[in-house]
Amino acid sequence: MEKFTSEKEWSVAMRINHWAMALSIFILIVTGFYIADPFTVSRGETVGKFLMGNVRFVHILFGVFLVFLFFWRVYLAFFSRFHADWKDFFAWTNIKCTIDQIKFYLLITKKGPDYKTLYGPMQSLAYLGLMFMVFVIVITGLILMGAGYHAGFTAICYKILRPIENLMGGLAVVRYVHHLFTWFFILFIVVHMYMAFWYDAILKKGTISSMISGNIFKKLEE
Amino acid sequence: MAKGNNSEYKKMIDKQYKDLMKHCQLHMEEIEKNLPEPKEDLHELLKERGFSRRDFVKWTSAMTAALMLPPIFRPMVAKAAESFSRLPVVWLHFAECTGCSEAFLRSSYPNVDDILLETISLEYHETLMAASGYQAEENLEKAVKDFSGKFICVIEGGLPRGLNGKYLTLGPKGKTGIQVAREVTSKAAAVVCIGSCSAFGNIQSAKPNPTDAVGISKAIGISTVNIAGCPPNSVNFTGTLLHYLMFGSLPALDGLGRPVWAYGKRIHDYCERRPHYDASEFVEEWGDKGALKGWCLYKVGCKGPYTYANCGKVRFNDGISWPIMAGHGCIGCTEPGFWDTMAPLEKPLDEKTYGGGERTVDNIGIALTGAAVAGVAAHAIASGIRHKGDK
Ligand code: HEM
Ligand code: SF4
């Protein structure tokens, strides 16, 4: 019989951050598409309706939530007491390992390379890309927010970010980039979810459940 | 406690305005001394056009509020208006259609702003002056010399930079627009760009921009006051000049050189159709039921959410109407590069197409997502075969 041990892979903070981000991004995609392409509510009087207003409220609420989650995640990457993983985002710099990993993904070899980093080389590249995507969508989102609301923290952020708006070519371009990146998130989600399942099926280490329980299984060599 | 703070705050504001008032008074006295006598009597002119004293007082109140000054400044605004024709102005035309001049000068029911503009002391204006050829050139040189460092240079139209600027040559000596602009603006007290052409290049600089046209500030590397719009509202121009007359300085500008008092908020923030936007009531097609009810124009391409301007507040043609009130969405004409960034003008932003076809960002996104899903499905099947029987 094979023996397994269970090892802690993800801290509680990391797991909460992961699922909060997943939920926020899901809600942001749905509400974002409504803002981009709203349908008309014809029934009833204007005074009794506030659908766009509510959708924008939810979008901006979870948007601000995502801003905090992003900064929390960056903080964890550098200062997590369990495992500060910022170096692991650069696993792809080991070129040989990356090529071996691609071969494994393309089913050319049956076993992937061994690596000591928390993430595999391709995985690290994908997550670095994700961090960049979140950064861009958070910045463009804060600009769009500041354009319509002129007080408090939003106004301070907007004052700092307005030159970026001008550099990008105005609010229309900012909005378009925000929309474009929404599609990058959707593409990321498809591949990310598949790869989680694939790892679970091929390596049988319990990849998916690890993000819930925090523990991953390791096969013990006899 | 809160009360104490409030009165403290009030005291501070009062003091600020008092200082500002003192500054204003001093400056107006300076003007009395330094600038020539008013060329026209504004009140005579207003009377001729059938405006009463009362109309003028009403206008000063509105203008004071538009400039975001408290009511105590009303007499100063009136005084500045009376001195309006003291300010020497040189008005240049470059790559443009003269529509801004037309819009200011040809309103069928001119308002006080328009009449004020008629009193303006135009030392040089290519469309309006009688002189031509060498005589015109002399006029320009004389004006620039006589009022060196005192005149306001108003510019309508952008500058083509291609062929060393030779896409635009002017006058009997065949100078390029860039040369003329350099010569005149270097002697001006301030440069005010009227309209989106001189501010940002506008249609001449739209893709593919064969003449490499740009706005004045980018073309010759100076900072300008940009009264953006195609055409802009005359109020935004007169207000800026009044501010200059009253305080001897230009009003606060945003990062693109537009006066904040006029371009500090978006069309979408002032729009009278905004409640319909929040209520998800959209015009779906021109002339449909929603259009009859005055619903929001977002889905027929309104670019109000991306456009900084006060059109909805000051309106056009003596406050009669403005584009969104008339039933067409905003096209974003006060923003740089709007022909490109706001396209398509009658559809929402995300319906911009690529490759001359029907492909929008959403079509491409859906196709890529479909491909990704098909890809991972194929990979799953292939993995099932390859790793069959693995432990
Ligand atoms: C994964 C994250 C996000 C997604 C997928 C997303 C998606 C979208 C989409 C599709 C739109 C409509 C764009 C269009 O009209 O073409 C939008 C608008 C907007 N988003 Fe986001 N967004 C995200 C994050 C954020 C964040 C972090 C913020 C703010 C901090 C934010 C604030 C806004 C605002 C203010 C608007 C404009 C709403 C309006 O003007 O009424 N978004 N978003
Ligand atoms: S008509 Fe345009 S500016 Fe007015 S609420 Fe609708 S989208 Fe905004």
Side-chain angles (χ1 to χ4, degrees), chain B residues 267-268 271 273-274 277 296-298 302 304-305 324:
Chain B
I267 294 288
H268 193 55
C271 180
R273 296 187 189 232
R274 180 61 188 267
Y277 171 85
C296 167
L297 299 160
Y298 182 72
C302 180
I324 286 178

Side-chain angles (χ1 to χ4, degrees), chain A residues 28-29 32 36 56 59 63 141 144-145 175 178-179 182, chain B residues 277 298:
Chain A
L28 284 162
I29 289 172
R56 286 191 61 236
H59 189 87
L144 292 171
M145 224 172 112
R175 184 86 170 241
H178 199 81
H179 191 112
T182 301
Chain B
Y277 171 85
Y298 182 72

